[in-house]
Every structure is written in structure tokens, then in C-alpha cells.
Amino acid sequence: MASSPTTNQAGTETELLSKKELQQLMVQALQHDLPVENLLWHDAQTTPYECDGLTAYRQRPLLVALPETEAQAAAVLRTCQNLGVPVVARGAGTGLSGGAMPHERGVTLSLARFNRIVAVDANSRTARVQCGVRNLAISEAAAPLGLYYAPDPSSQIACTIGGNVAENSGGVHCLKYGLTLHNVLRVRGLTAAGDVVEFGSEALDVPGYDLLSVVVGSEGLLAVVTEVTVRLTPKPALARCIMASFDDVRTAGHAVAAVIAAGIIPAGLEMMDKPMTAAAEDYVHAGYDLDAAAILLCESDGTMDEVEEEIARMQQVLRDAGATRLAVSQNEAERLRFWSGRKNAFPASGRISPDYMCMDSTIPRARLADMLEAIGQMERKYQLRCCNVFHAGDGNLHPLILFNANNPDELHRAELFGADILETSVAMGGTVTGEHGVGVEKLSSMCVQFTAAELAQMHALKAAFDPSGILNPGKAVPTLHRCAEYGKVVVKNNQPRFPELARF
């Protein structure tokens, strides 16, 4: 599929317009696609869309379009493609990597009004929902049937299923129940040209390539999601949580490995370090051990007999691994209290710092303690505090770097700190992202993990779906030019290659 001459010519012509002239052109053009009240272009209207959960980087869009139907969204996409104008799809804006940050000469396509639960089927254990439906709303709709939607990111009360698909979101229970990819059967969406396209199926298999696994986690670069069919899970009869204290982070890291080595797959296995538990305890009063260097939250769910047996096994493993204190939830209220601090880790951090930068990388479980010690050294190096919370069961890290964005030097040091964490993760055999996506935050760090050839393949895939390049441009996959500027690529004989990891 190739770009049409009309699109190329229109894109060239719009590049010559001033931002104000382009805005006037787009408002006039999109009034044919949407009622005028569904278009926002004045500064006071577009400012709320200037960033997502990564507030360190802000940019107002040219305008915001709020379609209410798939046909309207398709019309907006066709108009933007014909005029060569970028489109950034947006859900609730809770993402933490800048994936929904607007393009200053582009249209932000808000899908907030796609908020209808189309069907919940008890027999097939599925729900068909529009992309703007909140994650938690799916479980609320399925609750009368004894079902729920398993992926539970911390922002589940606000984040939308379309955004979850874009980022392949996880949550504290992803160790047992998987990420978004493992709980989605079908995705319906629109191409950059406004054509309807479907990925996956409610059947066991579909012919051809498995493009569902390509689109989930593609961060809005390949298609605009409009509807999702998710797999529902029977609500367990019982769930109990162990809160285990450790006097050393290395001991806590080894305990995580010991639980998995024992053949136990907890419903949730989370780690929080001392600064994080202090911030969370001050916020929600979860009953955390403030003397512990680290705490683990280990949950078991299933039938009553299954849970009692697994809780007993985990307690023994944790004692043998060096736990200094164990507390087991005795009822549902106490279980939720144990989890409340972990679920509110991000707002708790926001109470003790003007700003925070939440990193997201993944390392082998055996390196958890090494990573915590490395982050401690980075705190001293960059002179910034960091609170740590991990999806310990699968090695997904969420260090929260605390800084003041109004201080340019602190922002710069926070960026260096974050890049150091990501590069250290790669050096330890991990990856630069776990569930938050790359967005704009991790673009340069992608240059460290992937070769020039691999990045070229990613750009080729993008071009196959979006030949005109209008969907969320400048996100997720860096150009080789950017990598060269970052200093992580060497050009020799016109063939770019990546050097050994360089440290800051």
C-alpha cells in the first residue's frame, strides 16, 4: 500500500501554512465530519489535553475532535489523511509514557464518548465494549454474573480499555492472569485511511497472520481502536493476601525467586521498598511495617481449600527465605487494606514531591536486589530521591523519581536518572518497558536495546499499516537519526551499528 500523490501533495502544502492558518483550515474541514460543538480549538479548551500522565512534557494540539460514532471517527481520519495532518488518538489520558501527548500541528482524536458496553455474555464469558469504557466498569458490569476482567492496572478506576490495548497494560495480578494481550479476543478499529479493520476473533483461531498480537501494545501507531472483545474470568470464591516484611532488600528479592522456584504462581506478588511504604502508609494507613527495608504482598485466590493450602506453602517459603514478619488477611476488608497502599503508590508519591517520573522496565527476577542497589547509587549520583514499587513476580519495575519540574536542572537530572534505570535494565538482561509503553519518554532508550536493523523493521511495519505516517508520529520507535544524536549508534561505511552500552 503506498501513499497517494494527493496525500503527499496535501501534506507538503499544509507544511507551508502557519499553525494558525492550519488550525483554521482544519476547523473548516472537520466541520463537515462533526458538529461544531464536537470540535475544540481555543487555548482554554485544548489545554486540558496538553499531556497525559507524563506531565513533564506538554504540548497543545492544533484542535481536539470528539466523535460519537465510528463513522464520525472514520471521517475525521480520512480528512486528516487527505490533508496530511497527524492524528493522536486519546482515551482517558492516564498513560505514563507520553503516548497521548498531542502533536502541535495535529488533531487529538478523543474517544471518550465511545463509552458503551455493547454486550456481556455469561455463556462465552466475554464482554464486547467500546474503546472508551473504563477498565473497572467492565468488571462492574460483569459482577452480577460472577465474572470480572482480570487485568487491573493501578489506574483501573479511570483508564479505558482502548488505552489498555494500546499499551498492553498489566496490573498487580498479571503474574497469574496475564496482560491485556492474554485477555483480549478481538479488536475492531480504523486504519489511518478511515477503513474498518478487525484483528483476532471470538473463535479459537483465525486464518492468516496473528495481527492481534501486533496491534495490542502498538501505542496507536498502527490503527485507532474503537471496540474490544475481552475474556472474562470467574470471580474466585476466596482471596487472601500475605504481607511479608524483610530487613534487607536483597533478602526480599531472593524471597520472590524462592516463591516462584517452589512452583507457586501467586495471584499477585508485589514488592515495595522502605521509602515507598512510608509514603503509602502516610496516605492510606494500610498497616505497613515501617521498619522493614522492603515488604512483599503475596496473594492467593481460588477455592477455600486451594487458598488455605497455597497460603500455608507461601508462608513457609517466605519464613525460610528470611521474612522477619508475616501478616495474613483474615477477611476481604483486610485484604483490600493490604493492597490499598500498593494501588495508591503513585498518588502517595505525588503527596511528597511536586512531581514524579514513573519509570517502567523489566529485568530477570533474580536481579531485583541488584537493581534496587543500583538505583540507590543513582539516587546519590543524580541527587534525587526515588521510591520503588515492583511487580516483583514478573520483574516489572516502577521506580518513581521525585523532582520539581519547575527547576530545569532537576528535570534534566530526573531524565538522566530515568535513562540510567532503563539502560541498566537492558544491561541486566531486561527490557526498557513492561506495561507503560515507550511513548516519548523512552524513545532514546530504545536505541540501546534494539539494533538499527530491528528498528528499521519496526518502521517497515508502521509503514505497512500507515503509509502516510499520520498516526501518532514521533512515538514509540525512534529514527536512526535520533539514535545517532543520542550517541548510541555509530555510522560506519553508511551502515549504522550499535556500540557497547555507554554509561552516563
Side-chain angles (χ1 to χ4, degrees):
M1 199 158 60
S3 302
S4 67
T6 303
T7 299
N8 289 333
Q9 182 180 354
T12 302
E13 291 175 355
T14 56
E15 287 175 3
L16 300 176
L17 298 176
S18 70
K19 184 175 179 180
K20 189 66 176 178
E21 291 171 333
L22 180 58
Q23 183 184 68
Q24 292 173 345
L25 172 66
M26 291 308 299
V27 170
Q28 183 178 9
L30 291 176
Q31 283 180 356
H32 297 290
D33 304 327
L34 297 175
V36 67
E37 61 268 21
N38 290 35
L39 295 172
L40 310 175
W41 66 90
H42 299 296
D43 287 352
Q45 296 174 315
T46 59
T47 296
Y49 296 86
E50 67 182 357
C51 67
D52 57 11
L54 182 64
T55 58
Y57 309 114
R58 301 168 185 263
Q59 192 165 255
R60 280 198 297 266
L62 198 66
L63 61 87
V64 179
L66 293 106
E68 298 179 7
T69 66
E70 188 177 75
Q72 288 180 343
V76 171
L77 286 165
R78 282 193 292 270
T79 296
C80 289
Q81 170 146 293
N82 290 336
L83 295 174
V85 173
V87 178
V88 177
R90 179 187 174 98
T94 60
L96 292 166
S97 64
M101 191 179 80
H103 192 290
E104 66 176 351
R105 293 177 64 85
V107 172
T108 289
L109 185 66
S110 172
L111 299 160
R113 297 182 181 182
F114 284 63
N115 56 6
R116 188 165 63 91
I117 296 176
V118 180
V120 178
D121 191 323
N123 294 323
S124 63
R125 293 180 180 171
T126 61
R128 188 157 60 95
V129 302
Q130 290 186 316
C131 60
V133 171
R134 295 178 300 110
N135 175 295
L136 187 59
I138 301 175
S139 292
E140 291 170 344
L145 303 175
L147 303 170
Y148 75 109
Y149 180 61
D152 58 344
S154 295
S155 59
Q156 68 178 144
I157 192 172
C159 65
T160 63
I161 190 64
N164 290 176
V165 168
E167 306 297 334
N168 193 19
S169 302
V172 299
H173 293 97
C174 65
L175 177 62
K176 182 174 181 177
Y177 294 105
L179 302 168
T180 299
L181 176 63
H182 308 112
N183 291 273
V184 166
L185 298 172
R186 181 189 69 98
V187 169
R188 180 183 172 94
L190 298 167
T191 67
D195 297 326
V196 174
V197 61
E198 292 197 3
F199 308 94
S201 168
E202 294 180 36
L204 293 177
D205 196 12
V206 291
Y209 294 116
D210 178 15
L211 295 179
L212 179 64
S213 58
V214 173
V215 170
V216 176
S218 61
E219 303 191 39
L221 271 69
L222 307 182
V224 175
V225 176
T226 57
E227 186 180 279
V228 184
T229 301
V230 302
R231 177 183 288 110
L232 300 175
T233 300
K235 189 172 177 61
L238 179 66
R240 298 183 71 190
C241 182
I242 301 173
M243 182 167 59
S245 303
F246 296 85
D247 58 9
D248 178 76
V249 294
R250 185 165 290 277
T251 304
H254 289 161
V256 171
V259 170
I260 302 300
I264 302 170
I265 305 297
L269 183 53
E270 300 285 306
M271 179 190 290
M272 300 168 69
D273 71 357
K274 191 169 186 174
M276 188 72 261
T277 56
E281 180 63 20
D282 185 58
Y283 182 38
V284 298
H285 310 296
Y288 291 158
D289 181 358
L290 297 181
D291 294 325
I295 66 168
L296 292 181
L297 296 175
C298 312
E299 182 161 288
S300 174
D301 65 10
T303 66
M304 185 173 296
D305 290 342
E306 289 171 336
V307 170
E308 292 307 312
E309 179 187 3
E310 192 168 78
I311 286 289
R313 289 180 63 203
M314 285 198 292
Q315 283 182 290
Q316 187 60 54
V317 171
L318 293 169
R319 285 194 193 97
D320 293 344
T324 57
R325 174 180 163 186
L326 294 175
V328 182
S329 63
Q330 299 303 308
N331 51 55
E332 182 65 4
E334 189 171 32
R335 183 186 74 86
L336 293 175
R337 180 165 59 82
F338 284 1
W339 280 111
S340 64
R342 169 60 188 91
K343 284 284 190 177
N344 288 282
F346 295 172
S349 300
R351 294 176 73 243
I352 62 173
S353 175
D355 299 279
Y356 65 79
M357 187 174 291
C358 177
M359 304 311 297
D360 164 57
S361 63
T362 304
I363 58 171
R365 284 185 292 263
R367 304 301 300 273
L368 284 172
D370 295 335
M371 191 66 188
L372 274 170
E373 291 177 358
I375 290 174
Q377 294 172 5
M378 294 176 204
E379 287 186 85
R380 294 184 287 274
K381 178 179 180 179
Y382 300 107
Q383 293 296 294
L384 292 171
R385 295 176 296 159
C386 185
C387 297
N388 292 285
V389 56
F390 296 170
H391 295 312
D394 58 2
N396 187 193
L397 322 175
H398 291 323
L400 287 95
I401 303 167
L402 309 182
F403 70 103
N404 183 352
N406 292 320
N407 182 327
D409 180 61
E410 281 199 24
L411 173 58
H412 180 59
R413 280 185 281 129
E415 291 173 326
L416 294 178
F417 194 161
D420 208 344
I421 290 173
L422 298 178
E423 293 192 28
T424 300
S425 297
V426 173
M428 288 185 178
T431 176
V432 299
T433 186
E435 59 175 345
H436 292 175
V438 175
V440 296
E441 174 199 35
K442 302 171 189 167
L443 269 177
S444 295
S445 297
M446 288 280 285
C447 303
V448 174
Q449 181 168 353
F450 296 100
T451 67
E454 289 167 336
L455 292 173
Q457 282 297 104
M458 296 182 196
H459 284 293
L461 178 65
K462 161 74 170 170
F465 278 81
D466 176 22
S468 57
I470 69 166
L471 293 180
N472 215 7
K475 310 279 181 65
V477 184
T479 63
L480 294 181
H481 178 72
R482 181 189 181 98
C483 293
E485 288 183 338
Y486 187 54
K488 304 301 180 184
V489 62
V490 175
V491 179
K492 184 177 181 180
N493 298 327
N494 296 320
Q495 294 297 318
R497 66 178 180 83
F498 284 79
E500 296 298 317
L501 287 179
R503 305 293 297 156
F504 281 109

